[in-house]
Amino acid sequence: MAEDYLWWRDGIVYQVYPRSFADSNGDGIGDLAGITAKLDYLSDLGIDAIWLSPFYPSPDADFGYDISNYTDVDARFGTLADFDELIAQAHQRSMRVVLDMVLNHTSDQHPWFVESRASRDNPKRDWYIWRDPMPEGHPPTNWEASFGGKAWEFDPSTGQYYLHSFLKEQPDINWRNPEVREALLDVFRFWLKRGVDGFRLDVFNAFFKDERFRDNPSKFGLRGFDRQQHLYDMDQPEMVPLLQELRALLDSYPQRYAVGETYIATPEKITRYAGDDRLHAAFSFDFTSQNLIYPWNARYVLEQISRRDRIFDAAGIWPTTVMSNHDLPRAASRYASGENDQQAVIAMTLLLTLRGTPFMYYGEEIGMRDIALKRSEIMDPPGKKYWPIYKGRDGCRAPMQWSNAPFAGFSTGKPWLPVHPNFLRRNVAAQQADPNSLFHFTQQLITLRRKFAALRLGSFRVFFRADTGVLAFERQLDEERILVFINFTGFTRAASFVRDADPKLATMLLSNVGRKEFYTSYNQFVLNPYEVLLVQVNPQAAESM
Ligand code: NOJ
Ligand code: CA
């Protein structure tokens, strides 16, 4: 029997990047009132929860991921009253709200850091990680910042270095200090009391650093940060008791949730951090790379699924599925060419039919593509620094494409990042009007996912050989059996069922090529190029097997 619907396990989480979702006052920056006005849209799409990237006061060295006040709303996004309204409106539509907690570092403009750097004997000095220089003035360790350069910044006025795992404008917090720990747990309490349902913890596994400040050993890699084994600047044992304390706090409220953004994620790492007495889930980012080692095809995707399922199932951890987010080129840009949505359909099918909580990124439902920027237009700090080797993350953060109105209906004023030029044809209104659009396909998949518990909670079994370019699997729960077929290739593919898996006849649920009937012949099933198909095995067929 299907267990009760648990929003964070069975539902779909939709990530909103507030700057880029909907602008209510024409200043070119999305805001909370804009999001509230779009809740009906999200609810119609079938979303269960929204995750809001940071909207707190921030000098925007890292566009909100450098927070200068944890318990307020940046004036550009609105007010706490707007936030309360957003929560109330979301809850009215049975939608949950997940906040982004960025607690590895603050902004260097946070009053805590302003005090901390004021003098060595300031009471807040120890709220951050300050160390004396090594002989000859060298930084205290060899640790590298993930956005480039050393992770230590020298502060001439007090003669010490402070640690920053990201930009120098993002000093790392000293979680070992009990006062800091309380202050940060209070941040959770503040938002929980306001009705927040869950949290996404930014790079949580970097909160603690080696107590003895040892140097990281080196390894092969391209950039400085990748040329180190991160033994001492993250994943310290102190993290687990902290997560347990946080979980106890969350569990003192009903149905609250926390998902960790695992820094340098692997499924193995996650088994340490997620579980019944720690995080509910942590991102493993199994499908977000595309390069020579990880080409986008049926075989690679299956390998990733199998690996993740093996490790997560053994540990009793519920997976998350992520295809896109605010740090990566969008899946549609990674895998699709031009405006053709065949690969976007495939990515969406995986997102919504694999075992695990789907995290959908705003605009993914209409196949938004990354924008291309000139060097002078780049906003993202690592993009400015590494251009042209790395152009930063602005590409995936372009304004949501609502309609063919000026600025794609995102704003009446010039948006903070340019709108993708394809907005005249690729937008929500156009896709809502087109029954063959990715939007409709997504909505139908979501409806099926809600209808069939097997698609949410069922077991996962592969019944074709993935080296044919086809990924075909069954999701089964009790009597309910749903088959999912995905042809990753542009060729017709005849594929053979493994023994006993041929259902012969099944009921059509969804086809992206207008297929009307499902039947197999001689244990084989023939798929059209890029065909995606969902069918339900009829109970009679199962009996006759
Ligand atoms: C991970 C976030 O996803 C990313 O956007 C941010 O720049 C870094 N953490 C630093 O907070
Ligand atoms: Ca605005």
Side-chain angles (χ1 to χ4, degrees):
M1 257 302 290
E3 295 171 45
D4 289 340
Y5 195 88
L6 259 186
W7 70 269
W8 59 263
R9 182 193 58 188
D10 304 322
I12 296 157
V13 185
Y14 186 98
Q15 181 187 359
V16 171
Y17 193 71
R19 283 182 86 87
S20 302
F21 195 58
D23 174 18
S24 70
N25 61 356
D27 66 357
I29 295 181
D31 43 53
L32 297 185
I35 300 169
T36 305
K38 298 296 184 186
L39 289 175
D40 279 335
Y41 165 76
L42 295 174
S43 158
D44 288 348
L45 180 60
I47 298 303
D48 298 78
I50 53 174
W51 147 28
L52 301 171
S53 279
F55 52 75
Y56 321 96
S58 164
D60 277 348
D62 188 17
F63 294 100
Y65 285 88
D66 50 320
I67 297 173
S68 54
N69 181 351
Y70 286 115
T71 52
D72 204 353
V73 173
D74 191 294
R76 289 165 300 173
F77 294 124
T79 61
L80 276 172
D82 293 328
F83 179 79
D84 292 341
E85 178 66 9
L86 195 170
I87 288 261
Q89 294 290 334
H91 286 173
Q92 240 172 50
R93 292 162 178 78
S94 303
M95 277 177 4
R96 311 289 179 137
V97 178
V98 174
L99 295 201
D100 213 318
M101 291 280 115
V102 189
L103 304 177
N104 175 69
H105 43 266
T106 68
S107 157
D108 64 348
Q109 306 298 306
H110 195 296
W112 296 342
F113 189 70
V114 173
E115 279 194 49
S116 184
R117 86 185 310 174
S119 68
R120 285 198 188 203
D121 55 8
N122 188 284
K124 294 244 167 16
R125 184 67 168 184
D126 188 46
W127 281 43
Y128 292 83
I129 301 173
W130 291 96
R131 302 285 288 172
D132 286 334
M134 297 291 269
E136 289 166 42
H138 289 307
T141 66
N142 70 349
W143 301 348
E144 295 271 338
S146 131
F147 289 161
K150 291 276 169 248
W152 295 97
E153 179 72 10
F154 187 65
D155 179 53
S157 66
T158 59
Q160 285 190 308
Y161 280 94
Y162 68 84
L163 182 70
H164 59 89
S165 298
F166 294 87
L167 299 172
K168 68 174 173 18
E169 292 83 1
Q170 293 167 298
D172 280 37
I173 297 171
N174 180 14
W175 272 91
R176 292 177 188 278
N177 179 326
E179 272 180 65
V180 176
R181 192 176 172 123
E182 253 335 279
L184 294 174
L185 288 173
D186 275 345
V187 173
F188 288 97
R189 295 189 184 102
F190 175 89
W191 293 108
L192 284 166
K193 281 191 204 125
R194 284 201 116 82
V196 164
D197 302 283
F199 301 96
R200 174 259 187 199
L201 307 187
D202 193 78
V203 296
F204 72 96
N205 51 320
F207 288 3
F208 289 93
K209 285 80 183 171
D210 181 40
E211 210 165 7
R212 289 163 49 199
F213 291 92
R214 280 169 282 187
D215 278 349
N216 280 329
S218 52
K219 72 169 180 74
F220 176 76
L222 290 180
R223 325 174 289 151
F225 183 82
D226 304 327
R227 280 200 296 265
Q228 294 191 348
Q229 293 176 48
H230 293 281
L231 288 190
Y232 298 120
D233 52 350
M234 62 184 76
D235 294 311
Q236 299 304 300
E238 291 83 353
M239 197 57 216
V240 173
L242 173 63
L243 292 178
Q244 288 167 332
E245 189 177 348
L246 174 63
R247 180 61 178 265
L249 170 62
L250 295 179
D251 285 350
S252 65
Y253 294 77
Q255 289 218 9
R256 297 306 198 270
Y257 169 68
V259 55
E261 184 214 23
T262 324
Y263 199 25
I264 315 198
T266 59
E268 290 84 356
K269 223 186 229 193
I270 286 160
T271 59
R272 216 180 309 158
Y273 297 126
D276 287 344
D277 66 343
R278 37 204 91 179
L279 294 172
H280 296 75
F283 294 133
S284 48
F285 300 122
D286 311 284
F287 311 103
T288 57
S289 327
Q290 190 201 20
N291 50 45
L292 287 176
I293 307 167
Y294 303 115
W296 175 249
N297 59 32
R299 183 201 290 258
Y300 155 70
V301 168
L302 178 58
E303 274 168 16
Q304 294 295 98
I305 298 170
S306 313
R307 172 161 168 253
R308 158 175 110 164
D309 281 359
R310 181 168 30 84
I311 296 168
F312 280 30
D313 286 355
I317 294 168
W318 191 243
T320 58
T321 307
V322 175
M323 292 290 165
S324 299
N325 66 28
H326 66 294
D327 290 330
L328 301 163
R330 288 171 176 274
S333 291
R334 297 200 304 269
Y335 309 134
S337 56
E339 291 297 316
N340 189 317
D341 278 347
Q342 282 156 329
Q343 293 296 345
V345 163
I346 290 176
M348 186 58 79
T349 306
L350 291 168
L351 180 69
L352 294 172
T353 62
L354 295 183
R355 259 172 76 75
T357 308
F359 280 76
M360 191 181 294
Y361 185 50
Y362 80 95
E364 199 166 348
E365 70 278 24
I366 56 166
M368 271 174 60
R369 305 293 203 264
D370 282 26
I371 47 169
L373 295 177
K374 296 200 275 287
R375 183 175 191 167
S376 60
E377 294 171 314
I378 296 286
M379 307 285 265
D380 187 30
K384 287 185 178 167
K385 184 161 189 156
Y386 290 113
W387 175 282
I389 298 164
Y390 176 64
K391 295 180 180 169
R393 300 163 295 179
D394 301 311
C396 65
R397 299 175 178 178
M400 177 74 176
Q401 294 164 207
W402 293 104
S403 71
N404 62 6
F407 308 124
F410 160 75
S411 174
T412 52
K414 186 168 182 272
W416 75 285
L417 276 178
V419 173
H420 196 291
N422 69 7
F423 81 95
L424 286 172
R425 278 158 296 117
R426 187 179 293 283
N427 60 64
V428 168
Q431 293 206 9
Q432 281 178 330
D434 172 4
N436 295 317
S437 64
L438 179 62
F439 175 87
H440 273 281
F441 183 81
T442 304
Q443 205 173 31
Q444 289 172 59
L445 267 178
I446 293 178
T447 306
L448 292 173
R449 204 174 184 280
R450 284 189 171 237
K451 179 166 176 200
F452 295 107
L455 281 175
R456 302 191 303 270
L457 301 170
S459 58
F460 175 94
R461 175 167 80 126
V462 170
F463 54 84
F464 273 14
R465 284 162 34 132
D467 56 7
T468 58
V470 172
L471 178 65
F473 55 88
E474 175 188 74
R475 301 291 314 274
Q476 174 178 9
L477 188 70
D478 303 325
E479 297 295 287
E480 198 171 271
R481 294 174 61 197
I482 311 290
L483 309 185
V484 180
F485 298 82
I486 301 173
N487 181 358
F488 278 72
T489 77
F491 306 99
T492 302
R493 283 285 185 237
S496 312
F497 285 93
V498 296
R499 252 184 78 223
D500 292 343
D502 181 357
K504 301 195 173 56
L505 277 176
T507 308
M508 289 290 309
L509 298 177
L510 182 62
S511 158
N512 68 335
V513 296
R515 187 186 285 273
K516 294 280 178 292
E517 275 181 326
F518 178 90
Y519 55 87
T520 64
S521 105
Y522 299 105
N523 249 1
Q524 285 215 333
F525 180 64
V526 180
L527 285 148
N528 291 306
Y530 303 114
E531 178 164 3
V532 170
L533 179 67
L534 266 75
V535 299
Q536 181 180 19
V537 178
N538 305 329
Q540 319 83 282
E543 275 158 28
S544 69
M545 270 175 53

Coordinates of all heavy atoms in Angstrom, one line a residue, residues 142-151 216-230 233 386:
N142 N 47.2 25.7 2.8 CA 47.2 25.8 1.3 C 45.8 25.8 0.7 O 45.6 25.7 -0.5 CB 48.0 24.6 0.7 CG 47.3 23.3 0.9 OD1 46.3 23.2 1.6 ND2 47.8 22.3 0.2
W143 N 44.7 25.9 1.5 CA 43.4 25.7 1.0 C 43.0 26.8 -0.1 O 43.4 27.9 0.0 CB 42.4 25.9 2.2 CG 42.6 24.8 3.2 CD1 43.4 23.7 3.2 CD2 42.0 24.9 4.5 NE1 43.4 23.1 4.4 CE2 42.5 23.7 5.2 CE3 41.1 25.7 5.2 CZ2 42.1 23.4 6.5 CZ3 40.8 25.4 6.5 CH2 41.3 24.3 7.2
E144 N 42.3 26.3 -1.0 CA 41.9 27.2 -2.2 C 40.4 27.6 -2.1 O 39.6 26.8 -1.6 CB 42.1 26.4 -3.5 CG 43.5 26.0 -3.8 CD 44.3 27.1 -4.6 OE1 43.6 27.9 -5.2 OE2 45.5 27.0 -4.5
A145 N 40.1 28.7 -2.6 CA 38.7 29.2 -2.6 C 38.1 28.5 -3.9 O 38.7 28.4 -4.9 CB 38.6 30.7 -2.7
S146 N 36.8 28.2 -3.7 CA 36.2 27.5 -4.9 C 36.0 28.4 -6.0 O 35.9 28.0 -7.2 CB 34.9 26.8 -4.4 OG 33.8 27.1 -5.2
F147 N 35.9 29.7 -5.8 CA 35.8 30.7 -6.9 C 37.2 31.2 -7.3 O 37.2 32.2 -8.0 CB 34.9 31.9 -6.4 CG 33.4 31.5 -6.3 CD1 32.6 32.3 -5.5 CD2 32.9 30.4 -6.9 CE1 31.2 32.0 -5.4 CE2 31.6 30.1 -6.8 CZ 30.7 30.9 -6.0
G148 N 38.2 30.6 -7.0 CA 39.6 30.9 -7.5 C 40.4 31.6 -6.4 O 39.9 32.4 -5.6
G149 N 41.7 31.3 -6.5 CA 42.6 32.0 -5.5 C 42.7 31.3 -4.2 O 42.0 30.3 -4.0
K150 N 43.5 31.8 -3.3 CA 43.6 31.2 -2.0 C 42.3 31.5 -1.2 O 41.6 32.4 -1.4 CB 44.8 31.9 -1.2 CG 46.1 31.6 -1.8 CD 46.6 30.3 -1.2 CE 47.9 29.8 -1.9 NZ 47.6 28.5 -2.7
A151 N 42.1 30.6 -0.2 CA 40.9 30.7 0.6 C 41.1 31.6 1.8 O 40.3 31.8 2.7 CB 40.5 29.3 1.1
N216 N 45.7 20.5 2.7 CA 45.1 19.5 1.8 C 46.2 18.8 1.0 O 47.1 19.5 0.4 CB 44.1 20.1 0.9 CG 42.8 20.3 1.5 OD1 42.4 19.6 2.5 ND2 42.1 21.4 1.1
P217 N 46.2 17.5 0.8 CA 47.1 16.9 -0.1 C 46.7 17.2 -1.5 O 45.5 17.6 -1.8 CB 46.9 15.4 0.1 CG 45.9 15.2 1.2 CD 45.3 16.6 1.5
S218 N 47.6 17.1 -2.5 CA 47.3 17.5 -3.8 C 46.8 16.3 -4.7 O 47.0 15.1 -4.3 CB 48.5 18.1 -4.5 OG 49.6 17.3 -4.3
K219 N 46.2 16.6 -5.7 CA 45.8 15.6 -6.7 C 45.7 16.2 -8.1 O 45.9 17.4 -8.2 CB 44.4 15.0 -6.3 CG 43.2 15.9 -6.6 CD 41.9 15.1 -6.4 CE 40.7 15.8 -6.6 NZ 40.1 16.2 -7.8
F220 N 45.5 15.4 -9.1 CA 45.5 15.9 -10.5 C 44.2 16.7 -10.7 O 43.1 16.3 -10.2 CB 45.6 14.8 -11.5 CG 45.4 15.3 -12.9 CD1 46.5 16.0 -13.5 CD2 44.2 15.2 -13.6 CE1 46.4 16.5 -14.8 CE2 44.1 15.7 -14.9 CZ 45.2 16.3 -15.5
G221 N 44.3 17.9 -11.3 CA 43.1 18.7 -11.6 C 43.5 19.9 -12.4 O 44.7 20.2 -12.6
L222 N 42.5 20.6 -12.9 CA 42.8 21.7 -13.8 C 43.0 23.0 -13.0 O 44.1 23.6 -13.1 CB 41.7 21.9 -14.8 CG 41.6 20.8 -15.9 CD1 40.5 21.0 -16.9 CD2 43.0 20.6 -16.7
R223 N 42.0 23.3 -12.2 CA 42.2 24.6 -11.5 C 42.7 24.3 -10.1 O 42.6 23.2 -9.6 CB 40.9 25.3 -11.2 CG 39.8 25.2 -12.3 CD 38.5 25.9 -11.7 NE 37.9 25.1 -10.7 CZ 37.1 25.6 -9.7 NH1 37.0 26.9 -9.6 NH2 36.5 24.9 -8.8
G224 N 43.2 25.3 -9.4 CA 43.8 25.2 -8.1 C 42.9 24.4 -7.2 O 43.3 23.4 -6.5
F225 N 41.6 24.8 -7.1 CA 40.7 24.1 -6.2 C 40.6 22.6 -6.5 O 40.5 21.8 -5.6 CB 39.3 24.8 -6.3 CG 38.3 24.2 -5.3 CD1 38.3 24.7 -4.0 CD2 37.4 23.3 -5.8 CE1 37.3 24.2 -3.1 CE2 36.4 22.8 -4.9 CZ 36.4 23.2 -3.6
D226 N 40.6 22.3 -7.8 CA 40.5 20.9 -8.1 C 41.8 20.1 -8.0 O 41.8 18.9 -8.2 CB 40.0 20.7 -9.6 CG 38.7 21.5 -9.8 OD1 37.9 21.5 -8.8 OD2 38.4 22.1 -10.9
R227 N 42.8 20.8 -7.8 CA 44.1 20.1 -7.6 C 44.4 19.7 -6.2 O 45.5 19.4 -5.8 CB 45.3 21.0 -8.1 CG 45.4 21.0 -9.7 CD 46.8 21.4 -10.1 NE 47.0 22.8 -9.8 CZ 46.8 23.9 -10.6 NH1 46.3 23.6 -11.8 NH2 47.0 25.1 -10.2
Q228 N 43.4 19.7 -5.3 CA 43.6 19.3 -4.0 C 42.5 18.2 -3.6 O 41.4 18.3 -4.1 CB 43.4 20.5 -3.0 CG 44.4 21.6 -3.2 CD 44.4 22.6 -2.1 OE1 43.4 22.7 -1.3 NE2 45.4 23.4 -2.0
Q229 N 42.9 17.4 -2.7 CA 42.0 16.5 -2.1 C 41.4 17.2 -0.9 O 42.2 17.6 0.0 CB 42.7 15.2 -1.6 CG 43.2 14.3 -2.6 CD 43.9 13.1 -2.0 OE1 43.5 12.5 -1.1 NE2 45.2 12.9 -2.5
H230 N 40.1 17.4 -0.9 CA 39.6 18.3 0.2 C 39.3 17.5 1.5 O 38.2 17.4 1.9 CB 38.3 18.9 -0.4 CG 38.6 19.9 -1.5 ND1 39.1 21.1 -1.2 CD2 38.6 19.7 -2.8 CE1 39.4 21.7 -2.4 NE2 39.1 20.9 -3.4
D233 N 39.3 20.9 4.5 CA 38.5 22.1 4.4 C 37.0 21.8 4.3 O 36.2 22.7 4.1 CB 39.0 23.0 3.3 CG 39.0 22.3 2.0 OD1 38.9 21.1 1.9 OD2 39.2 23.0 0.9
Y386 N 37.1 34.1 -14.7 CA 37.6 33.0 -15.5 C 37.3 33.2 -17.0 O 37.7 32.3 -17.8 CB 37.2 31.7 -15.0 CG 37.8 31.3 -13.7 CD1 37.0 31.2 -12.6 CD2 39.1 31.0 -13.6 CE1 37.6 30.8 -11.3 CE2 39.7 30.7 -12.4 CZ 38.9 30.6 -11.3 OH 39.5 30.2 -10.1

